[in-house]
Amino acid sequence: MAASEQMKTLMKQRDDIQKEIEELTDVLQSQKGVGLDGPLVDSDGYPRNDIDVYSVRHARHRIACLQTDYSAVMKDIETELYRIHAELRESREDESHDIPMEVTGSAPTSPQAPPFVTVDRVDPSSPAADAGLQVGDEIVEFGSVTSHNFTGLKQIGELVHHSVGRPVRVAVLRQEKSVLICLTPGPWSGRGNLGCCVVAHHQSIQFRDTRLTCSSTCVFIKV
């Protein structure tokens, strides 16, 4: 199913925001790797003279604003997905399950949007399976949740609970390709509203090489 023009516009806005965040992250990296949380004063409490404090403050403020814009765009994308999905259901009333909408492309390179959850199990004939979710998929975006605002697996569970009967946009990395999936949580013959198990890795930001690294400690949740 081809994405609507509105969807294409929203996805471009999302990509533009991610690109600007990446550029601003490079600015922070160029300032002695100060990042988002590095100190701007020296041990005596005076402004550091080895970095451009104004540029760092500006970049940090702009990133905070862009992250707010990103969340707003993601909500608009969810709304548009719901509209597209509703039209599809009306035109194909003989379909007994949700039809996944997948858009594939090259893997994202922005250090601001790494995978934060991995699919560990998908039950047959479940909403997750019908949508096309696969074991090993690395989730980059789950509805409005990304690595920027991910606080724990409970957050995913609550989003699924409040999205029963409504399509949720899920962006994953699969074999180094980005895949966009539209899945709709809801009751089925098995447990949960999705019928899958996901693994969250504890993450820590390392600004010295602008990458997000995951530890080996994992947490599981069934949805």
Side-chain angles (χ1 to χ4, degrees):
M1 179 180 68
S4 68
E5 290 301 318
Q6 176 66 7
M7 178 64 73
K8 292 178 181 178
T9 298
L10 290 171
M11 292 180 70
K12 183 179 185 302
Q13 291 176 0
R14 179 206 63 184
D15 293 341
D16 289 344
I17 291 173
Q18 288 180 331
K19 181 180 179 181
E20 186 173 353
I21 289 177
E22 181 177 358
E23 292 172 350
L24 291 168
T25 299
D26 289 340
V27 171
L28 296 178
Q29 173 67 13
S30 70
Q31 297 297 313
K32 305 293 184 179
V34 69
L36 292 172
D37 304 310
L40 301 184
V41 296
D42 57 26
S43 58
D44 296 322
Y46 294 101
R48 290 175 58 177
N49 59 14
D50 60 333
I51 61 174
D52 187 339
V53 174
Y54 174 81
S55 295
V56 172
R57 285 176 173 168
H58 173 75
R60 288 177 174 179
H61 174 74
R62 182 58 181 160
I63 287 175
C65 293
L66 288 170
Q67 289 175 340
T68 300
D69 293 343
Y70 186 88
S71 296
V73 169
M74 290 302 302
K75 290 182 180 178
D76 290 341
I77 288 176
E78 287 186 39
T79 300
E80 182 65 10
L81 273 174
Y82 180 77
R83 185 189 67 78
I84 294 173
H85 188 76
E87 290 182 355
L88 182 61
R89 288 175 64 90
E90 291 176 1
S91 63
R92 300 186 179 181
E93 294 179 351
D94 59 328
E95 296 278 345
S96 61
H97 57 78
D98 302 311
I99 297 177
M101 182 179 74
E102 298 187 0
V103 179
T104 60
S106 58
T109 57
S110 170
Q112 295 297 317
F116 61 97
V117 171
T118 300
V119 178
D120 185 65
R121 193 190 74 234
V122 177
D123 296 330
S125 302
S126 65
D130 290 342
L133 202 64
Q134 298 180 11
V135 172
D137 282 350
E138 297 180 289
I139 297 179
V140 177
E141 300 167 7
F142 193 99
S144 59
V145 180
T146 68
S147 60
H148 308 311
N149 57 15
F150 178 64
T151 58
L153 290 171
K154 181 180 179 181
Q155 183 182 15
I156 300 294
E158 291 177 348
L159 190 152
V160 170
H161 174 73
H162 292 295
S163 300
V164 171
R166 297 187 57 184
V168 177
R169 177 187 186 277
V170 179
V172 306
L173 282 180
R174 179 183 298 163
Q175 297 179 351
E176 299 184 353
K177 295 291 184 179
S178 59
V179 178
L180 178 62
I181 295 173
C182 178
L183 62 83
T184 303
W188 60 294
S189 60
R191 298 179 60 184
N193 288 314
L194 284 184
C196 67
C197 179
V198 296
V199 185
H201 298 264
H202 296 306
Q203 299 174 331
S204 60
I205 299 177
Q206 294 187 358
F207 284 103
R208 61 176 179 273
D209 59 5
T210 66
R211 292 182 299 175
L212 286 170
T213 60
C214 300
S215 72
S216 59
T217 304
C218 302
V219 183
F220 297 82
I221 186 174
K222 296 179 180 178
V223 286

